[in-house]
Amino acid sequence: NLRKIFKLNDECEIIFSPSGTDSSLQIAAITQIMSDKEITHILVASDETGSGVASALKGCHFENTTALNYPVKIPFRDANGALKSSTQLDEEVFNAVFKTSELGRHVVLHTMDQSKLGYQSPSDEFIKKLNSLKKLSMQIIVDGSQLRLDPKDIQNYLSKGYIVTITGSKYFTGPPYCGALILPKNVAKVISSAKTTLPK
């Protein structure tokens, strides 16, 4: 049904999960077999995604246990609660990506398209700026929770090689706490041909 609704080709993989946070735990595992480099997760809109996402990306089962990775969290709002400008967010995210890349690490950039309050970050201009970075090892994840994206948006992201996360939408009377990862063709191929196994 999801393939039909989003008009996905058979080469895209769909991995279901109990929740969007569980999808994040799956991403934390999957990205470890996609690159032989150490990984840094950069979580954009950390203040408007699921409360357990940051823990899941560290390999924690949503509790205060030992972290496997150290994500960079970039909230939409500043310390006073004011919404940051698109330019300011882009600069923070770019600096985080640049510094991580300079360390020779694989970047997993978690972007937000339509947050709980309707915000998006980083901007399309930011993505173009990333092309100026040499030897950048990166996978982009698009948070499409609550199905706030149109099918064309999802198809566009998949065509660029981005992983898209979705959850059941309250708006469409979907069941709560259900999630899925939609993997583009290139990511599905890397995973299926990877010699490294998922971490225990």
Side-chain angles (χ1 to χ4, degrees):
N1 286 340
L2 279 180
R3 287 189 190 282
K4 184 177 179 181
I5 290 168
F6 296 127
K7 299 178 181 175
L8 304 177
N9 60 48
D10 292 337
E11 295 171 319
C12 290
E13 294 285 343
I14 299 175
I15 302 174
F16 291 98
S17 67
S19 72
T21 306
D22 286 281
S23 290
S24 295
L25 189 62
Q26 291 171 336
I27 288 170
I30 288 170
T31 51
Q32 290 186 55
I33 66 171
M34 291 176 60
S35 175
D36 56 2
K37 297 181 178 181
E38 291 189 19
I39 297 170
T40 295
H41 290 270
I42 299 174
L43 184 58
V44 181
S46 58
D47 51 348
E48 288 200 29
T49 189
S51 59
V53 169
S55 293
L57 293 176
K58 290 187 281 189
C60 301
H61 291 271
F62 327 140
E63 297 177 3
N64 293 324
T65 56
T66 304
L68 297 179
N69 295 306
Y70 297 92
V72 178
K73 295 168 69 174
I74 301 172
F76 268 144
R77 299 178 182 277
D78 62 22
N80 297 319
L83 187 66
K84 297 174 186 173
S85 69
S86 178
T87 302
Q88 183 180 357
L89 283 166
D90 282 356
E91 185 177 342
E92 287 185 42
V93 177
F94 186 83
N95 288 338
V97 171
F98 178 77
K99 290 175 183 176
T100 303
S101 180
E102 286 287 292
L103 293 172
R105 299 174 69 94
H106 179 68
V107 178
V108 181
L109 178 61
H110 299 260
T111 66
M112 177 65 71
D113 192 347
Q114 300 303 315
S115 72
K116 295 174 183 177
L117 297 177
Y119 304 123
Q120 176 183 354
S121 183
S123 68
D124 293 334
E125 290 74 20
F126 163 85
I127 300 298
K128 294 174 184 174
K129 187 177 178 183
L130 281 181
N131 294 332
S132 67
L133 296 180
K134 296 178 180 178
K135 298 181 180 179
L136 177 62
S137 175
M138 184 173 71
Q139 175 63 53
I140 293 180
I141 317 288
V142 178
D143 185 336
S145 297
Q146 299 295 329
L147 291 177
R148 297 182 182 102
L149 300 174
D150 292 328
K152 286 184 180 179
D153 294 325
I154 292 176
Q155 294 163 15
N156 180 44
Y157 285 132
L158 292 171
S159 70
K160 293 179 178 179
Y162 302 170
I163 295 173
V164 178
T165 67
I166 59 172
T167 60
S169 174
K170 299 178 186 74
Y171 179 81
F172 293 113
T173 65
Y177 303 112
C178 62
L181 295 177
I182 305 177
L183 308 178
K185 174 183 175 181
N186 64 313
V187 172
K189 280 188 174 181
V190 169
I191 292 171
S192 62
S193 63
K195 295 179 182 178
T196 309
T197 57
L198 290 173
K200 292 181 181 180

